[in-house]
């Protein structure tokens, strides 16, 4: 595992951390008011070490977590109280293959989970859509921050929407969920693998090779580049990924102090919606080869409305379902589970066998 330690005490206006390879180093003496830290004194131990991937989006999410912790707890507002540790994951290292071809689950979380269990970090900040439906033994995910906009953004230099693209146009996307829903509505379009972080994909689009791409609006907003979107797709046009737009924060299950800190940040509406969607995903045992989409939200009457989708990668087979019920944990988990079983039965074993053979 490659780990980069990033201290947050000194950063640019964008909050960019100073990354140091290898173990923690002693800090230089720092003058505070009239008192100077004695030469050679060991740096103050951070109260919380936040583990994160190193992309700009992942760091933006880690900074959001850090800032909320500082605002909620005065002791964490002290200089050096919170440290950010960057950890490279398998998904970050292997960039020349589609995610489905790398195989396995937890491509963007496994190494961070290991760092958490090994005590290298105290909490882990994840994009919830990257988190497998199971959590490693010894970890818990007690906190979701308020969910961002779940819609996907259409980005193109030549068209205003998917419907305006001429037949044969090429869409760049690494998501089979997006691919299946695009091809279902626009079978004359072509979808090709298009990996990399947000900035990389925007640069690839500008360089040509594809006519358009789709990105999560949540990521664009967190990076303050929402103006890059040409147009937005409604959830009726493009049902989002499970937990899209949600940030999850994990800690060790025996770390009462971290759980106390995280409980103060938890947004319960988001946690319940994400739990509903993840239960749906768990029943379908979804992975990177299974196009699955789901969205649970509180409707105008205060109830939970849920929609789920299961599809073949080419969009030729699409199974959908919808539910509504009380906005409570038990009811919403049951709702997601029931919806998953419905679509699993509708698709039948041959559908899943076919997906397995694609591997």
């Amino acid at each position: 595992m490659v780990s980069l330690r990033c201290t947050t005490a000194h950063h640019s206006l964008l909050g960019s951390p100073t990354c140091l390879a290898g173990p923690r180093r002693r800090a230089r003496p720092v003058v505070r008011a009239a008192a100077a830290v004695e030469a050679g004194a060991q740096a103050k131990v951070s109260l919380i070490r936040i583990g994160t991937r190193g992309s700009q989006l992942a760091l933006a999410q880690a900074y959001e977590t850090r800032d909320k912790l500082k605002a909620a707890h005065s002791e964490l507002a002290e200089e050096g109280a919170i440290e950010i540790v960057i950890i490279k994951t398998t998904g970050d290292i292997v960039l020349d293959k589609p995610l489905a071809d790398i195989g396995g689950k937890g491509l963007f979380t496994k190494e961070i989970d290991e760092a958490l269990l090994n005590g290298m970090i105290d909490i882990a900040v994840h994009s919830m859509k990257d988190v497998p439906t199971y959590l490693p033994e010894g970890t818990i995910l007690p906190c979701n921050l308020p969910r961002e906009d779940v819609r996907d953004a259409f980005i193109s230099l030549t068209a205003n929407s998917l419907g305006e693209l001429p037949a044969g146009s090429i869409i760049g996307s690494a998501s089979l969920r997006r691919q299946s829903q695009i091809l279902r509505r626009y079978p004359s379009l072509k979808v090709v693998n298009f990996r990399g972080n947000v900035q990389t994909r925007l640069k690839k689009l500008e360089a040509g090779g594809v006519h358009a791409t789709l990105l999560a609006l949540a990521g664009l907003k967190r990076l303050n580049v929402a103006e890059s979107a040409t147009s937005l797709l409604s959830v009726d046009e493009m049902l989002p990924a499970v937990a899209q737009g949600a940030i999850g924060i994990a800690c060790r299950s025996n770390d009462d102090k971290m759980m106390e800190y995280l409980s103060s940040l938890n947004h319960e509406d988001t946690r319940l919606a994400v739990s509903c969607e993840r239960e749906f995903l768990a029943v379908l045992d979804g992975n990177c080869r299974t196009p699955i989409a789901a969205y649970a939200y509180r409707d105008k009457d205060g109830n939970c409305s849920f929609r789920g989708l299961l599809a073949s990668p080419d969009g030729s087979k699409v199974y959908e379902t919808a539910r509504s019920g009380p906005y409570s944990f038990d009811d919403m988990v049951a709702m997601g589970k029931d919806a998953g079983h419905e679509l699993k039965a509708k698709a039948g074993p041959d559908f899943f066998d076919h997906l397995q053979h694609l591997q």
Side-chain angles (χ1 to χ4, degrees):
M1 176 177 66
V2 179
S3 173
L4 299 179
R5 187 170 299 281
C6 304
T7 60
T8 62
H10 303 285
H11 54 81
S12 70
L13 292 175
L14 293 177
S16 177
T18 303
C19 297
L20 303 174
R24 186 183 306 179
R25 300 178 180 178
R26 294 179 184 271
R28 295 180 179 179
V30 178
V31 177
R32 289 184 182 171
V37 177
E38 184 176 332
Q42 190 165 359
K44 178 181 177 180
V45 176
S46 300
L47 298 177
I48 298 181
R49 294 161 298 168
I50 300 176
T52 178
R53 295 169 58 204
S55 71
Q56 289 188 38
L57 177 55
L59 287 172
Q61 295 177 164
Y63 295 143
E64 181 178 345
T65 302
R66 176 200 62 190
D67 294 345
K68 288 180 181 295
L69 284 168
K70 285 185 174 184
H73 303 278
S74 59
E75 71 273 21
L76 299 181
E78 295 289 327
E79 183 179 4
I82 299 178
E83 182 181 9
I84 291 180
V85 181
I86 294 176
I87 301 166
K88 280 191 176 292
T89 66
T90 301
D92 297 313
I93 296 168
V94 183
L95 296 173
D96 58 345
K97 297 179 181 178
L99 293 174
D101 290 347
I102 301 174
K105 297 181 181 180
L107 295 174
F108 293 104
T109 60
K110 181 175 179 289
E111 287 80 3
I112 299 176
D113 290 333
E114 290 173 351
L116 183 61
L117 289 169
N118 292 338
M120 292 175 58
I121 58 175
D122 301 302
I123 63 175
V125 178
H126 298 296
S127 291
M128 279 304 302
K129 65 182 180 60
D130 295 332
V131 178
T133 51
Y134 64 88
L135 295 176
E137 186 176 354
T139 70
I140 188 172
L141 208 158
C143 175
N144 287 123
L145 299 186
R147 195 173 197 174
E148 250 297 357
D149 197 313
V150 302
R151 291 175 294 175
D152 279 325
F154 172 81
I155 307 173
S156 175
L157 302 179
T158 61
N160 292 317
S161 66
L162 284 168
E164 286 189 11
L165 288 169
S169 294
I170 300 172
I171 313 294
S173 177
S175 164
L176 292 182
R177 170 191 65 88
R178 291 181 177 125
Q179 173 181 304
S180 64
Q181 293 185 78
I182 290 170
L183 295 180
R184 175 194 186 187
R185 291 176 176 270
Y186 307 101
S188 65
L189 300 179
K190 182 180 180 181
V191 181
V192 299
N193 185 52
F194 203 64
R195 287 199 54 209
N197 59 39
V198 171
Q199 291 82 2
T200 298
R201 281 183 273 181
L202 291 176
K203 288 178 182 176
K204 284 182 178 180
L205 176 64
E206 291 175 0
V210 300
H211 299 100
T213 189
L214 269 62
L215 293 173
L217 177 60
L220 298 179
K221 292 179 74 171
R222 289 187 175 121
L223 289 170
N224 295 314
V225 291
E227 69 278 3
S228 299
T230 305
S231 60
L232 302 178
L233 283 74
S234 71
V235 294
D236 293 326
E237 296 173 279
M238 181 66 63
L239 201 61
V242 167
Q244 183 159 310
I247 296 171
I249 312 172
C251 65
R252 289 179 291 276
S253 53
N254 62 355
D255 194 334
D256 293 340
K257 186 60 177 177
M258 292 303 125
M259 281 194 275
E260 181 183 342
Y261 279 137
L262 295 183
S263 66
S264 69
L265 302 189
N266 180 56
H267 187 257
E268 190 65 1
D269 265 22
T270 297
R271 188 182 76 87
L272 297 189
V274 166
S275 297
C276 177
E277 295 167 19
R278 282 169 58 80
E279 194 67 30
F280 172 75
L281 180 66
V283 169
L284 295 172
D285 193 26
N287 57 40
C288 288
R289 287 198 178 276
T290 316
I292 294 172
Y295 181 38
Y297 63 98
R298 188 186 289 273
D299 63 24
K300 57 182 176 57
D301 297 319
N303 293 319
C304 174
S305 288
F306 172 84
R307 288 180 54 198
L309 177 148
L310 170 68
S312 58
D314 63 1
S316 61
K317 296 180 180 178
V318 177
Y319 305 95
E320 296 179 274
T321 187
R323 296 282 191 287
S324 64
Y327 208 99
S328 68
F329 181 81
D330 289 342
D331 287 296
M332 291 170 69
V333 166
M335 193 184 306
K337 181 179 292 187
D338 183 63
H341 283 300
E342 179 194 335
L343 292 196
K344 195 169 188 177
K346 279 184 177 179
D350 289 347
F351 175 85
F352 293 96
D353 288 344
H354 177 68
L355 291 180
Q356 288 290 335
H357 291 149
L358 292 179
Q359 297 184 30

